[in-house]
PDB file of all heavy atoms in Angstrom:
ATOM      1  N   ILE A  17     -28.529 -20.082  -0.337  1.00 95.00           N
ATOM      2  CA  ILE A  17     -28.766 -20.227   1.149  1.00 95.00           C
ATOM      3  C   ILE A  17     -27.649 -20.687   1.867  1.00 95.00           C
ATOM      4  O   ILE A  17     -27.369 -20.474   3.102  1.00 95.00           O
ATOM      5  CB  ILE A  17     -29.908 -21.193   1.404  1.00 95.00           C
ATOM      6  CG1 ILE A  17     -30.511 -20.998   2.839  1.00 95.00           C
ATOM      7  CG2 ILE A  17     -29.603 -22.667   1.093  1.00 95.00           C
ATOM      8  CD1 ILE A  17     -31.919 -21.610   2.997  1.00 95.00           C
ATOM      9  N   HIS A 102     -18.352 -21.018   1.237  1.00 96.00           N
ATOM     10  CA  HIS A 102     -18.610 -19.813   2.091  1.00 96.00           C
ATOM     11  C   HIS A 102     -19.380 -20.406   3.315  1.00 96.00           C
ATOM     12  O   HIS A 102     -19.112 -19.691   4.516  1.00 96.00           O
ATOM     13  CB  HIS A 102     -19.442 -18.886   1.375  1.00 96.00           C
ATOM     14  CG  HIS A 102     -18.801 -18.311   0.238  1.00 96.00           C
ATOM     15  ND1 HIS A 102     -19.418 -17.607  -0.737  1.00 96.00           N
ATOM     16  CD2 HIS A 102     -17.425 -18.257  -0.113  1.00 96.00           C
ATOM     17  CE1 HIS A 102     -18.564 -17.156  -1.744  1.00 96.00           C
ATOM     18  NE2 HIS A 102     -17.300 -17.458  -1.323  1.00 96.00           N
ATOM     19  N   LEU A 114     -16.212 -19.362  18.936  1.00 97.00           N
ATOM     20  CA  LEU A 114     -17.005 -19.955  20.017  1.00 97.00           C
ATOM     21  C   LEU A 114     -15.991 -20.678  21.019  1.00 97.00           C
ATOM     22  O   LEU A 114     -16.146 -20.382  22.283  1.00 97.00           O
ATOM     23  CB  LEU A 114     -18.114 -20.787  19.615  1.00 97.00           C
ATOM     24  CG  LEU A 114     -18.929 -21.504  20.754  1.00 97.00           C
ATOM     25  CD1 LEU A 114     -19.634 -20.501  21.483  1.00 97.00           C
ATOM     26  CD2 LEU A 114     -19.908 -22.435  20.056  1.00 97.00           C
ATOM     27  N   ALA A 115     -15.236 -21.517  20.591  1.00 97.00           N
ATOM     28  CA  ALA A 115     -14.277 -22.298  21.366  1.00 97.00           C
ATOM     29  C   ALA A 115     -13.303 -21.264  22.045  1.00 97.00           C
ATOM     30  O   ALA A 115     -13.028 -21.347  23.328  1.00 97.00           O
ATOM     31  CB  ALA A 115     -13.517 -23.131  20.521  1.00 97.00           C
ATOM     32  N   THR A 128      -8.028 -14.446  37.062  1.00 90.00           N
ATOM     33  CA  THR A 128      -8.138 -13.121  37.726  1.00 90.00           C
ATOM     34  C   THR A 128      -8.562 -13.393  39.287  1.00 90.00           C
ATOM     35  O   THR A 128      -8.076 -12.516  40.101  1.00 90.00           O
ATOM     36  CB  THR A 128      -9.240 -12.195  37.200  1.00 90.00           C
ATOM     37  OG1 THR A 128     -10.542 -12.870  37.048  1.00 90.00           O
ATOM     38  CG2 THR A 128      -8.907 -11.693  35.832  1.00 90.00           C
ATOM     39  N   ARG A 129      -9.207 -14.202  39.600  1.00 88.00           N
ATOM     40  CA  ARG A 129      -9.507 -14.574  41.071  1.00 88.00           C
ATOM     41  C   ARG A 129      -8.224 -15.064  41.658  1.00 88.00           C
ATOM     42  O   ARG A 129      -7.966 -14.642  42.865  1.00 88.00           O
ATOM     43  CB  ARG A 129     -10.567 -15.818  41.113  1.00 88.00           C
ATOM     44  CG  ARG A 129     -11.899 -15.428  40.820  1.00 88.00           C
ATOM     45  CD  ARG A 129     -12.839 -16.570  40.756  1.00 88.00           C
ATOM     46  NE  ARG A 129     -14.186 -16.335  40.106  1.00 88.00           N
ATOM     47  CZ  ARG A 129     -15.255 -16.163  40.793  1.00 88.00           C
ATOM     48  NH1 ARG A 129     -15.214 -16.203  42.106  1.00 88.00           N
ATOM     49  NH2 ARG A 129     -16.303 -15.944  40.103  1.00 88.00           N
ATOM     50  N   ASN A 174      -5.933 -17.084  20.394  1.00 95.00           N
ATOM     51  CA  ASN A 174      -5.520 -17.416  19.100  1.00 95.00           C
ATOM     52  C   ASN A 174      -6.310 -18.418  18.435  1.00 95.00           C
ATOM     53  O   ASN A 174      -6.358 -18.328  17.096  1.00 95.00           O
ATOM     54  CB  ASN A 174      -4.022 -18.182  19.221  1.00 95.00           C
ATOM     55  CG  ASN A 174      -3.046 -16.993  19.562  1.00 95.00           C
ATOM     56  OD1 ASN A 174      -3.215 -15.743  19.384  1.00 95.00           O
ATOM     57  ND2 ASN A 174      -1.844 -17.465  19.895  1.00 95.00           N
ATOM     58  N   ILE A 181      -8.402 -16.704  10.012  1.00 97.00           N
ATOM     59  CA  ILE A 181      -7.600 -16.888   8.825  1.00 97.00           C
ATOM     60  C   ILE A 181      -8.028 -17.938   7.870  1.00 97.00           C
ATOM     61  O   ILE A 181      -7.925 -17.786   6.734  1.00 97.00           O
ATOM     62  CB  ILE A 181      -6.151 -17.232   9.365  1.00 97.00           C
ATOM     63  CG1 ILE A 181      -5.530 -15.938  10.141  1.00 97.00           C
ATOM     64  CG2 ILE A 181      -5.119 -17.526   8.309  1.00 97.00           C
ATOM     65  CD1 ILE A 181      -4.172 -16.324  10.925  1.00 97.00           C
ATOM     66  N   LEU A 186     -10.941 -19.594   2.832  1.00 95.00           N
ATOM     67  CA  LEU A 186     -11.949 -20.253   2.191  1.00 95.00           C
ATOM     68  C   LEU A 186     -12.983 -19.274   1.463  1.00 95.00           C
ATOM     69  O   LEU A 186     -13.546 -19.694   0.490  1.00 95.00           O
ATOM     70  CB  LEU A 186     -12.826 -21.129   3.328  1.00 95.00           C
ATOM     71  CG  LEU A 186     -12.204 -22.238   3.779  1.00 95.00           C
ATOM     72  CD1 LEU A 186     -12.917 -22.906   5.045  1.00 95.00           C
ATOM     73  CD2 LEU A 186     -12.271 -23.411   2.734  1.00 95.00           C
TER      74      LEU A 186
END
Side-chain angles (χ1 to χ4, degrees):
I17 198 167
H102 297 162
L114 175 61
T128 54
R129 288 175 195 254
N174 285 347
I181 292 168
L186 286 169

